[in-house]
Amino acid sequence: MSDRGLANLSKLVTAKYASARLARALTFADSELAVLPVGEVSFQLRFCPSLAKKPTTPKKDEGSSRSRVDPFQSPDPTLLVAHFAKDSGASPTHFVVLNKFPIIPHHFILATVENKPQTHLLEQDDLWASYKCIEEWEASEGHPGSLFGFFNSGDHSGASQAHRHVQFLPVEDMKHGDTLGHWQLLVDQVADEAGFSEEHQSTNKCAKLPFLCFAESIASHSATELYQTYLRLYERAREAVTTYVAAHPDSLQLHLTRAGHLPISYNLGLTKSRMMLCPRRSEGKMMHRTDGTDIGLVALNGTMLGGTLMVKEEELFRLLKEDTAKLHTVLEYVGIPLGFL
């Protein structure tokens, strides 16, 4: 297989990010950061008021139906970084493009050239291209550090676009603002043996987290083995959701599976050494004041597997900072509770 176009990826992304900011092709927004304990692990909580101002994706008419405009159909050249082809001389299957509204610098996206559904199983080429992004980033000149990849699939996952795409955040950029240096990528926080209790070893269930999450170390860097790891984790998540739905039919239902769509929502997290998969039952949880009025929705996507959450209301940010038990409740609410299985 070929990594055409991804060589020295960190340098490519950094240069394109600088030129795009200069051209005002992307809008970076600062955020206020707090690092909060949740049991044995820690999560970043970012206050991002710009999320409230972020424009919604416009819709276009398609006969009698209305669907979202596909931002990856014709990527903006000022944001386009590189193309990826699985074999030398083959047509590109994926491309790398910058996020237009980053909260964390150098946030980029790997999207399929062909418009494939976000709610189908990932294909082997998707996992391989994603892993090559991580490998090429970490092998780039200047030792840029590691990369965290995440994927959102399904109505409860925090997914915002239907065109298949995996997102990436440089870990060093994620750490910016953590003046005390207390935070680590969540994958690293649960990677030690203590992250898996003996009773959970056979199912690879992360015992440190308030939500059900399955993880495996990446033992082989072959495309086939990488994909088999993903399929094993997905199957465990599907079984967990199916069991939960059978026990709680009034609180969660499986998705319709017409045309290859998957029955569950989930998030995938990926680093060079580990893959994590979290089944979801809700996109977020509404938080309330003591008088019962709404403060705002804590909506989570795959960044939760990196140990990062974002909110757009200052009142909500202060609430979760002051009472970390509420953050634990949110995390348990959006996933399958750890104690269920």
Side-chain angles (χ1 to χ4, degrees):
M1 288 190 173
S2 169
D3 57 3
R4 190 183 79 180
L6 299 184
N8 215 3
L9 181 59
S10 173
K11 186 176 181 180
L12 293 176
V13 169
T14 300
K16 180 64 74 169
Y17 182 84
S19 64
R21 285 198 71 177
L22 189 63
R24 298 184 178 180
L26 62 75
T27 304
F28 171 74
D30 286 318
S31 58
E32 183 178 346
L33 175 66
V35 177
L36 308 177
V38 180
E40 297 182 57
V41 297
S42 60
F43 278 81
Q44 291 182 337
L45 179 66
R46 293 181 179 273
F47 169 44
C48 312
S50 64
L51 291 176
K53 304 174 184 177
K54 181 178 175 181
T56 56
T57 305
K59 294 185 177 182
K60 63 179 180 179
D61 287 312
E62 290 188 356
S64 59
S65 65
R66 295 177 65 80
S67 60
R68 289 184 179 274
V69 173
D70 179 6
F72 305 129
Q73 183 175 13
S74 300
D76 184 344
T78 60
L79 301 176
L80 184 62
V81 176
H83 285 86
F84 173 85
K86 62 180 181 180
D87 295 302
S88 180
S91 298
T93 56
H94 298 76
F95 61 86
V96 172
V97 63
L98 297 178
N99 185 322
K100 188 176 179 65
F101 301 100
I103 302 297
I104 295 172
H106 308 112
H107 180 172
F108 70 89
I109 294 164
L110 176 77
T112 53
V113 173
E114 180 185 347
N115 186 350
K116 297 182 178 182
Q118 190 82 349
T119 52
H120 285 197
L121 275 174
L122 288 171
E123 298 171 29
Q124 181 169 300
D125 288 349
D126 300 321
L127 265 297
W128 182 246
S130 298
Y131 196 73
K132 292 304 294 183
C133 283
I134 293 173
E135 280 195 327
E136 293 298 331
W137 179 277
E138 298 187 13
S140 297
E141 297 173 5
H143 307 288
S146 56
L147 199 63
F148 170 68
F150 66 97
F151 178 73
N152 310 314
S153 179
D155 292 342
H156 308 315
S157 71
S160 59
Q161 301 294 340
H163 187 138
R164 189 177 304 166
H165 63 288
V166 181
Q167 303 183 60
F168 294 89
L169 297 170
V171 176
E172 292 307 308
D173 286 320
M174 296 174 75
K175 291 180 178 179
H176 182 71
D178 178 18
T179 55
L180 298 178
H182 288 171
W183 179 84
Q184 286 184 298
L185 196 68
L186 186 64
V187 176
D188 296 332
Q189 293 186 60
V190 300
D192 62 306
E193 292 183 6
F196 297 90
S197 67
E198 290 185 8
E199 65 177 303
H200 296 153
Q201 286 285 352
S202 63
T203 57
N204 300 91
K205 185 165 64 174
C206 299
K208 284 185 175 182
L209 303 174
F211 50 83
L212 195 62
C213 183
F214 302 97
E216 285 193 27
S217 297
I218 296 175
S220 170
H221 295 177
S222 77
T224 300
E225 288 301 317
L226 190 69
Y227 192 56
Q228 290 303 312
T229 299
Y230 162 70
L231 292 178
R232 284 194 299 272
L233 294 177
Y234 171 78
E235 184 58 24
R236 292 186 183 110
R238 187 197 63 78
E239 291 175 353
V241 174
T242 301
T243 303
Y244 186 88
V245 168
H248 303 85
D250 295 331
S251 64
L252 182 65
Q253 295 181 343
L254 297 175
H255 302 319
L256 297 177
T257 55
R258 292 192 298 263
H261 295 291
L262 298 178
I264 70 168
S265 293
Y266 71 94
N267 299 117
L268 177 74
L270 182 66
T271 68
K272 191 174 181 179
S273 61
R274 186 165 285 261
M275 189 183 299
M276 299 176 70
L277 199 147
C278 170
R280 296 287 297 271
R281 60 175 169 140
S282 176
E283 181 180 7
K285 182 173 177 59
M286 179 62 68
M287 306 303 291
H288 307 282
R289 301 179 183 90
T290 54
D291 64 2
T293 58
D294 294 345
I295 302 175
L297 180 73
V298 183
L300 309 179
N301 64 13
T303 60
M304 64 186 268
L305 296 184
T308 295
L309 316 175
M310 302 179 186
V311 295
K312 58 187 177 183
E313 296 89 0
E314 185 173 7
E315 185 180 357
L316 196 52
F317 179 65
R318 305 301 172 199
L319 175 71
L320 295 175
K321 274 184 63 177
E322 293 167 5
D323 186 354
T324 57
K326 287 184 169 58
L327 179 55
H328 186 285
T329 299
V330 170
L331 291 167
E332 186 177 59
Y333 184 84
V334 300
I336 305 298
L338 178 66
F340 174 71
L341 291 182

